[in-house]
Amino acid sequence: MRTTRPNSPMTRRRWRRIASAVIATAALLLTGLTTAAQAQAADTSSSKVTWTRSCALPRHHGEMACNALRVTGGRTAFQRQHGISAKAAEASSPSGYGPTDLRSAYGLTSAAANNGSGRTIAIVDAYDDPNAESDLAAYRSHYGLPACTTANGCFKKVSQTGSTTALPTADSGWAGEISLDLDMASAICPNCHIALVEAKSASMTNLGTAVNEAVSLGAKYVSNSYGGGESSSDATYDSTYFNHPGVAITVSAGDAGYGAEYPAASKYVTAVGGTSLSTSSTTRGWSESVWRTSSTEGTGSGCSVYDTKPTWQTDTGCAKRMIADVSAVADPATGVSVYDTYGADGQGWATYGGTSASAPIIASVYALAGTPSTGSHPSAFPYANTSALNDVTSGSNGSCTTGYFCTARTGYDGPTGLGTPEGLGAFTG
């Protein structure tokens, strides 16, 4: 069983969230409102972007939380860019960045058009999304992407045991996460096949079993958009679930600001941090900074307590595994468009953020780059070609005693790692 250190940053943040939720719920009851999401969305005319977590926080040791944040109000960067008012944001039309934006930002326009055929990206999540395939079809159709269905062999949905019929219980929150992951894989690598592997619960044991199933299905690129507190069991989880040479496994760094999460801390995965992404007048046409909204909302980063440092990671301030390796857009205020129709919050088009967006983006960049060499550790690839990354040098995700653990700088730093993709050069090997 996983145990969380009683006074760890993860535990303190979790109790702060729980206390805040209790206070918020009491206030809502007093005012006659029913949910925190309604309170956030009440002033949709405001320019301030508000959001809610898609998945419930863990209630037991060993449970993971998805890192998807669904925008509930305000005006996103995409809306500002295109002159769309906050009030005009409806579930019938996108209000976040789409495939063209993301490919432009990360130098992937040509690669997305020409690469990926015959390659499979696996998406690992908990519980079932009954509308996964139909929602995926709606997203791809809207953006003019080729159909990806069970019938044409592009899409496959299975349980952690590989069954196509005995699927887990459906869950609305995780369904939003699943839609986010599937849409980001489609946006970056539209020619790739997609395998959705659904764990029967959000426990690390079941999610890890789903990772193994994804690899057994032949996927060379596996995206994981969830995380939890570190524990002394992590080394065992590393060897049991994540040690797959020749497979690029990406994991979200977390959405609670500065602090290390697992499995992003695994030495066998590419830990993916999050940025705020905006258009600019630079030659690139885009600019990025560390995503941070508050002391408890922003990209994760930090020095692992338990996991050993991989040989290719050479920063000197952390003797063990340092998070993150690379990064991509994650700020809900500069978020991505997603199509989701399952459950109470599945209203059609929505904008999402969180490092649940950045992890599948990076997994898909690996897929565009080609099959990793036999026996390789793809998390090492970016360290061998840092010039093919956009170095993010501004912003922080909290307070820390060792500056680069939480603050961007030239070269490697915790919140954004080595930077964001600029083409495929940093993801081949």
Side-chain angles (χ1 to χ4, degrees), residues 310-322:
T311 57
W312 53 86
Q313 197 172 57
T314 58
D315 64 293
T316 58
C318 172
K320 293 189 179 292
R321 171 70 158 115
M322 186 69 195

Side-chain angles (χ1 to χ4, degrees), residues 72 76 105 136 161 170 173 188 217-218 230 235 277 412 421:
T72 56
T76 66
L136 176 63
T161 63
I188 302 300
L217 291 173
E230 294 190 281
L277 173 70
Y412 180 84

Side-chain angles (χ1 to χ4, degrees), residues 258 301 397-407:
Y258 175 64
S301 71
N397 64 345
S399 300
C400 55
T401 55
T402 303
Y404 77 90
F405 284 15
C406 64
T407 303

Side-chain angles (χ1 to χ4, degrees), residues 286-319:
W286 299 85
S287 64
E288 289 177 277
S289 60
V290 174
W291 165 44
R292 185 198 187 198
T293 306
S294 71
S295 60
T296 57
E297 294 174 338
T299 182
S301 71
C303 181
S304 173
V305 174
Y306 299 102
D307 251 84
T308 59
K309 200 174 195 69
T311 57
W312 53 86
Q313 197 172 57
T314 58
D315 64 293
T316 58
C318 172

Side-chain angles (χ1 to χ4, degrees), residues 11-107:
T11 302
R12 293 194 298 269
R13 287 195 300 272
R14 185 171 298 158
W15 278 112
R16 283 199 296 268
R17 289 195 194 98
I18 292 170
S20 297
V22 171
I23 294 169
T25 300
L28 291 173
L29 289 172
L30 288 171
T31 57
L33 297 175
T34 57
T35 66
Q38 286 175 317
Q40 283 187 311
D43 184 12
T44 55
S45 64
S46 171
S47 62
K48 178 178 174 59
V49 172
T50 57
W51 59 85
T52 186
R53 295 184 62 92
S54 289
C55 302
L57 291 171
R59 287 188 286 265
H60 306 288
H61 292 308
E63 283 187 344
M64 301 286 108
C66 77
N67 287 308
L69 306 176
R70 179 175 56 84
V71 170
T72 56
R75 198 176 183 208
T76 66
F78 175 87
Q79 291 171 293
R80 293 176 183 277
Q81 179 183 339
H82 294 277
I84 304 170
S85 70
K87 287 185 177 180
E90 301 290 345
S92 59
S93 61
S95 55
Y97 291 137
T100 300
D101 301 303
L102 297 172
R103 296 172 197 166
S104 169
Y106 297 125

